[in-house]
Amino acid sequence: IDSLPAPFFLFDAQGRLEDANAACLRATGWDQAQPLAGPLARRNPPLPAAGTEQHRAEQPRRDGSVFTVDWSVSPVFARDGQLLSHVCIGRDVTRQRQVEDGLRENDKLRAVATLAGGIAHDFNNLLGSIVGLAELCELEAVEGSRQARNLGRIRQAGAKAAVLVRQML
């Protein structure tokens, strides 16, 4: 058991931690005496009554950090069918989970960027119409009139909005 490269726990029939291998102790930072009565004993994967089950769990380290482990948990029975113990073999999937989380985040950002680009493109088309029509109306407005000033403000606001659209694109 100590030669296994994967974390290994052995629980008795009542669910109390009986043993942890060297790989588990290295991964968690605990020594042989501590985990059997300490945090590892309180933080275990669910123990099935029959059949092997798979569980993903956050496993605590001595320093307070955690790492993600995929546990394969199997009950061990005597010949007469009595439950003797549970064997738990784990695989550290912390890095894999981080990569998966990064890919999901990247997909979210890509979706937001696509949405923002589409909105910016449509908004830019609307701005073109607004600014163009304001310029045409400004040509017909009496110079110095309130209408000409308001049309000039519309044109200026449209130019500022166009700068924001370019930034989004």
Side-chain angles (χ1 to χ4, degrees):
I1 291 171
D2 270 339
S3 66
L4 284 174
F8 172 91
F9 284 144
L10 180 65
F11 291 92
D12 68 14
Q14 288 73 43
R16 291 183 300 256
L17 183 61
E18 285 188 348
D19 198 7
N21 73 346
C24 182
L25 299 175
R26 276 192 307 276
T28 61
W30 297 99
D31 66 38
Q32 187 64 36
Q34 291 168 319
L36 299 180
L40 293 182
R42 291 189 296 276
R43 203 69 200 267
N44 56 56
L47 304 175
T52 299
E53 292 184 5
Q54 307 295 322
H55 300 281
R56 180 167 283 186
E58 297 296 316
Q59 195 64 47
R61 288 190 174 105
R62 185 176 187 178
D63 66 6
S65 65
V66 295
F67 62 105
T68 306
V69 181
D70 278 348
W71 290 105
S72 178
V73 184
S74 301
V76 177
F77 297 98
R79 290 185 196 267
D80 65 1
Q82 179 184 354
L83 178 65
L84 297 176
S85 60
H86 286 87
V87 173
C88 306
I89 298 175
R91 184 170 62 97
D92 185 345
V93 293
T94 305
R95 180 72 183 129
Q96 175 186 336
R97 195 199 75 219
Q98 290 169 341
V99 168
E100 289 169 357
D101 290 349
L103 289 172
R104 272 192 293 281
E105 187 66 25
N106 190 31
D107 288 345
K108 288 180 196 175
L109 291 174
R110 187 176 303 140
V112 168
T114 300
L115 178 64
I119 291 171
H121 180 73
D122 290 345
F123 192 65
N124 199 39
N125 290 341
L126 292 170
L127 274 177
S129 296
I130 292 168
V131 171
L133 290 171
E135 287 174 353
L136 288 174
C137 290
E138 203 173 13
L139 292 174
E140 295 178 9
V142 176
E143 194 172 321
S145 70
R146 192 167 122 196
Q147 182 183 24
R149 285 191 307 274
N150 288 339
L151 288 167
R153 288 185 188 126
I154 291 172
R155 223 177 5 83
Q156 288 173 349
K160 287 179 183 178
V163 169
L164 288 174
V165 167
R166 280 192 294 280
Q167 287 175 349
M168 278 197 311
L169 287 172

